[in-house]
Amino acid sequence: MTTLSDAPLAVPASLVEALAGDGPVLICGHARPDGDSLGSVMAMAAALRRRGRRVRTVCSDPAPAAFLAFPRMDTLEVTREVDAAGATVIVMESSALSRTGIAGLERAGAVLNIDHHLGNTAYGTINWFDEGAAACVEMVADAIDALGVPWDEEIATYLYLGLLTDTGGFRHSHISARSFDLARRCVLAGADPVRVGQIAYDSFSLGRVRLMGELLHGMRLEADGRLAVLTLTPDEHERAGSTPDETEGLINMPFTAQAIRAVCLLRNDEDGVTRVSLRSKGTIDVRAVAQQFGGGGHRNASGFTVPDPLEAVEARLLPLLLDALA
Ligand code: 5GP
Ligand code: MN
């Protein structure tokens, strides 16, 4: 990953023009939001408010509880349907409009689509995706600059949150010198990296810590110990005293072993639906695997959701993962 360009991202002029307009704006990210999705939404919201625009921030699922410590996070509306008729809607970090989990967005006056996932379906009136960005907030940072809004502590904190979490703590692929420039500017503008790091990584419940034990206890190894398979059902949650919204990041646990090249986490928390997360190291392409189930993501981090029982999904998935690892 030494060949990545760290040049500034090219913010389309049409996007800047749309952001610089007036009139109400609704900003949302993807369902089951993570730090980059929320960081992108909240940083852009803060910047547009600074320009005097009326802004609503919306998500189909609540933010992780610890994120309520961040500025104005309590104003994030949790809803699965909006009346967006005529409004300008900004969609962050979502490769398809359906990834938002919110109905009604298609009636918006204009949809501004900002994303860094390969395979974005260009569903917007204006589409800007750049797979070269290590996090969506890298794009948002450049868009805010293009708007001429100076960064305050709120903007800097949310940009830093997205950057920190989507790069896995500055370790994933796609990190470039630009990522570190962004981190430096965030800190200079008032982001507190220690506090953001604690909120993002060290603010979980004890139930989640026990869930780590349950998951690792049930971990199975395949492909000569290079693939770890984790399954998570309501039973594990009950034994651990955890809840289904506390699973973010757990898939990374087996990865700390050098021998592990790929991890899959299968979970069913809603009736009949199985959610799968896939992670890999190096050139192993788990996005291609997720695509075979209608999902997507990045080469080293992807996922999908199917309306089939966990065991059936696992039986179909394992041979494909073994192929990817071969
Ligand atoms: P996670 O495992 O954290 O839910 O998702 C990992 C990555 O896969 C994220 O980049 C996410 O955007 C992507 N992803 C997860 N589920 C889906 C899906 O159903 N469709 C698409 N297109 N991408 C997904
Ligand atoms: Mn995300």
Side-chain angles (χ1 to χ4, degrees):
M1 280 297 147
T2 50
T3 54
L4 284 173
S5 160
D6 68 344
L9 302 165
V11 191
S14 57
L15 178 72
V16 180
E17 197 182 319
L19 293 172
D22 39 31
V25 185
L26 188 150
I27 313 181
C28 63
H30 59 72
R32 299 171 64 100
D34 56 21
D36 193 28
S37 173
L38 290 168
S40 298
V41 167
M42 300 304 283
M44 181 60 82
L48 294 182
R49 285 189 187 110
R50 289 276 299 258
R51 290 186 56 95
R53 289 192 85 159
R54 197 151 53 81
V55 180
R56 273 176 79 187
T57 52
V58 179
C59 192
S60 66
D61 295 298
F67 283 13
L68 285 170
F70 291 125
R72 253 197 276 252
M73 190 61 93
D74 57 341
T75 63
L76 182 79
E77 296 173 48
V78 179
T79 178
R80 302 206 167 179
E81 183 160 15
V82 293
D83 177 6
T88 296
V89 169
I90 307 174
V91 183
M92 299 290 188
E93 252 238 307
S94 303
S95 47
L97 201 55
S98 58
R99 289 275 295 141
T100 61
I102 300 172
L105 295 175
E106 59 287 343
R107 289 192 292 277
V111 172
L112 317 183
N113 165 11
I114 303 176
D115 184 26
H116 69 129
H117 292 98
L118 192 66
N120 186 291
T121 57
Y123 52 83
T125 320
I126 295 171
N127 301 290
W128 182 34
F129 32 89
D130 194 328
E131 210 233 329
C136 192
V137 289
E138 284 192 357
M139 304 174 71
V140 172
D142 284 10
I144 292 173
D145 283 346
L147 272 175
V149 176
W151 299 4
D152 57 13
E153 185 183 323
E154 182 176 348
I155 291 173
T157 297
Y158 280 119
L159 293 177
Y160 187 82
L161 171 68
L163 182 65
L164 177 72
T165 55
D166 235 43
T167 59
F170 300 100
R171 292 186 306 152
H172 291 168
S173 64
H174 286 86
I175 298 169
S176 67
R178 184 183 53 222
S179 314
F180 293 94
D181 280 343
L182 173 54
R184 174 180 161 78
R185 283 186 63 199
C186 286
V187 174
L188 289 173
D192 179 344
V194 176
R195 181 163 177 269
V196 176
Q198 278 174 357
I199 292 171
Y201 295 115
D202 298 331
S203 297
F204 296 117
S205 72
L206 209 50
R208 187 181 179 280
V209 175
R210 288 198 200 92
L211 184 63
M212 292 177 168
E214 292 292 335
L215 270 180
L216 292 179
H217 186 68
M219 177 176 77
R220 281 177 299 116
L221 296 179
E222 303 281 348
D224 300 322
R226 290 178 303 136
L227 169 66
V229 181
L230 303 172
T231 53
L232 179 49
T233 67
D235 288 351
E236 277 81 25
H237 283 304
E238 193 176 322
R239 283 196 295 271
S242 54
T243 55
D245 61 352
E246 295 185 297
T247 59
E248 179 77 26
L250 291 175
I251 190 171
N252 296 317
M253 291 187 297
F255 249 5
T256 55
Q258 187 184 30
I260 299 290
R261 309 306 298 168
V263 185
C264 75
L265 168 63
L266 300 105
R267 56 183 176 241
N268 65 359
D269 26 67
E270 295 144 63
D271 271 351
V273 171
T274 300
R275 298 185 47 80
V276 176
S277 292
L278 303 171
R279 299 291 186 272
S280 64
K281 288 174 181 161
T283 55
I284 299 164
D285 186 0
V286 288
R287 176 175 174 266
V289 175
Q291 278 185 309
Q292 305 207 34
F293 295 84
H298 310 273
R299 183 181 66 190
N300 295 135
S302 66
F304 63 90
T305 301
V306 281
D308 304 313
L310 191 148
E311 295 74 19
V313 179
E314 188 179 337
R316 249 186 88 198
L317 175 63
L318 276 189
L320 296 173
L321 283 174
L322 295 180
D323 273 356
L325 279 152

